[in-house]
């Protein structure tokens, strides 16, 4: 019986065993025997599975892959609108209305309303009656935004320096920096902007504190819609490239303090270029 129970076809084999003839001195098979055989086989299978797991063998049941849940519609709309704001495709003062956006995105008004309310809470949109618009920043707004950026971005880049002495870890940064240098040499403003985004994404991906990353991204996003104006200027691109080279050199040495100082200098230049591009007056 033990050999039969250990075989996948044990139940069928047991059921097919011939019953002893009457009068042979052995018990005739009863109707409940098959049920008892199945019960014994089930218990044996369970015990075998646990024993195999305890011995370090692969369990009989295959590992299940967690089901990936799709993003909610409101979340998808939020990321779509945020991407447009980042690339400057939504100009200052253009009304963003729920009905029109819902029709363009093929969704109901509710997820659009949720997304725009969230963007407004982050300061990327402002309410304008029955619609939302991209806010026009005053010099005070720029001062406030950069005050926060001066506090958090040097700290973020300092935390990265503990990993970046490793060439493999630093590879995405170096690749983005090389692409920026090539684009600047070729006078390719669009290519430089793309490399700029890659460089920024590469070092942010290494920051251990993801809450800090979200804060950095939020306040940088306030200025992304004007980025085309600043990086379209060749002199500004040269300054940005110089700053990135200084940051990359500090990270290659694993020097967090030098990286933080390079980031502060880079932010100071970025603020000056932004103020000039917007036609604002420094106080």
């Amino acid at each position: 019986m033990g050999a039969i129970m250990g075989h996948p076809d044990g139940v069928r084999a047991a059921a097919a065993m011939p019953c002893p003839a009457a009068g042979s001195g052995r018990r005739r098979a009863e109707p409940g025997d098959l049920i008892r055989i199945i019960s014994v086989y089930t218990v044996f299978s369970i015990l075998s599975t646990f024993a195999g797991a305890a011995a370090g063998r692969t369990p009989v049941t295959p590992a299940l892959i967690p089901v990936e849940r799709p993003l909610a519609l409101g979340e998808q709309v939020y990321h779509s609108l945020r991407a447009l704001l980042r690339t400057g495709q939504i100009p200052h003062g253009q009304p963003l209305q729920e009905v029109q956006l819902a029709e363009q995105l093929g969704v109901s008004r509710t997820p659009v309303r949720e997304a725009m309310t969230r963007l407004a809470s982050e300061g990327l949109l402002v309410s304008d009656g029955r619609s939302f618009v991209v806010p026009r920043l005053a010099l005070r707004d720029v001062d406030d935004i950069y005050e926060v950026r001066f506090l958090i971005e040097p700290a973020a880049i300092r935390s990265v320096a503990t990993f970046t002495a490793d060439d493999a870890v630093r590879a995405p940064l170096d690749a983005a920096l090389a692409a920026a240098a090539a684009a600047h040499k070729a006078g390719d403003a669009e290519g430089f902007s793309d490399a700029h985004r890659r460089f920024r994404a590469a070092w942010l991906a290494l920051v251990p504190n993801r809450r800090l990353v979200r804060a950095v991204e939020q306040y940088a996003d306030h200025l992304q819609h004007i980025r085309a104006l600043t990086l379209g200027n060749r002199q500004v691109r040269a300054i940005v490239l110089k700053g990135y080279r200084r940051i990359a050199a500090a990270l290659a040495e694993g020097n967090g303090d030098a990286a933080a100082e390079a980031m502060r200098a880079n932010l100071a230049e970025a603020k000056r270029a932004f103020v000039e591009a917007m036609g604002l007056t420094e106080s």
Side-chain angles (χ1 to χ4, degrees):
M1 179 67 73
I4 293 175
M5 293 301 103
H7 193 279
D9 294 327
V11 173
R12 290 194 297 272
M17 290 176 64
C19 295
S24 62
R26 301 173 67 182
R27 184 178 65 83
R28 180 184 297 275
E30 298 294 336
D33 288 348
L34 181 58
I35 297 176
R36 285 190 289 273
I37 291 172
I38 293 173
S39 299
V40 172
Y41 176 69
T42 301
V43 172
F44 180 83
S45 298
I46 294 173
L47 293 176
S48 297
T49 299
F50 280 107
R57 296 195 297 270
T58 303
V60 175
T61 304
L64 296 177
I65 301 175
V67 176
E68 292 186 5
R69 304 178 69 176
L71 289 176
L73 278 178
E75 190 77 10
Q76 294 181 50
V77 174
Y78 166 80
H79 286 292
S80 296
L81 294 178
R82 189 180 177 194
L84 293 176
L85 291 169
R86 278 181 163 182
T87 54
Q89 296 183 54
I90 303 178
H92 292 292
Q94 177 179 323
L96 298 176
Q97 297 179 339
E98 291 178 13
V99 175
Q100 295 176 347
L101 287 173
E103 291 177 352
Q104 293 174 12
L105 295 169
V107 299
S108 67
R109 294 172 59 182
T110 300
V112 174
R113 186 184 309 117
E114 292 173 352
M116 291 200 294
T117 300
R118 181 176 171 185
L119 290 166
S121 72
E122 296 173 354
L124 299 176
L125 294 177
V126 293
S127 178
D128 183 24
R130 300 184 64 180
S131 63
F132 289 85
V133 297
V134 177
R136 185 176 294 278
L137 299 178
L139 181 59
R140 176 60 183 271
D141 298 315
V142 176
D143 286 340
D144 290 347
I145 291 169
Y146 271 98
E147 181 179 2
V148 175
R149 294 187 69 184
F150 275 114
L151 289 173
I152 60 178
E153 293 193 32
I157 200 78
R158 180 185 286 110
S159 70
V160 165
T162 58
F163 314 111
T164 51
D166 186 330
D167 291 345
V169 172
R170 206 177 58 255
L173 278 165
D174 292 341
L177 182 59
H184 177 60
K185 184 177 181 180
D188 181 2
E190 184 175 348
F192 189 92
S193 295
D194 179 67
H196 159 78
R197 288 190 292 270
R198 287 169 51 197
F199 186 88
R200 187 172 187 80
W203 75 260
L204 282 174
L206 298 175
V207 177
N209 187 336
R210 303 316 295 170
R211 290 181 175 85
L212 182 56
V213 171
R214 287 194 291 271
V216 170
E217 290 178 335
Q218 178 180 339
Y219 283 94
D221 281 352
H222 284 270
L223 310 172
Q224 289 299 321
H225 56 276
I226 203 68
R227 186 63 61 193
L229 290 179
T230 56
L231 294 183
N233 184 308
R234 183 174 180 82
Q235 289 182 333
V236 172
R237 291 200 301 272
I239 293 172
V240 171
L241 183 59
K242 180 180 178 180
Y244 278 177
R245 282 173 170 157
R246 184 180 172 189
I247 292 172
L251 292 178
E253 296 173 358
N255 190 331
D257 290 339
E261 183 56 36
M263 179 60 74
R264 289 191 195 93
N266 187 63
L267 287 171
E269 292 292 348
K271 180 183 178 183
R272 182 187 61 76
F274 186 90
V275 168
E276 290 182 358
M278 292 294 293
L280 302 175
T281 303
E282 281 277 24
S283 57

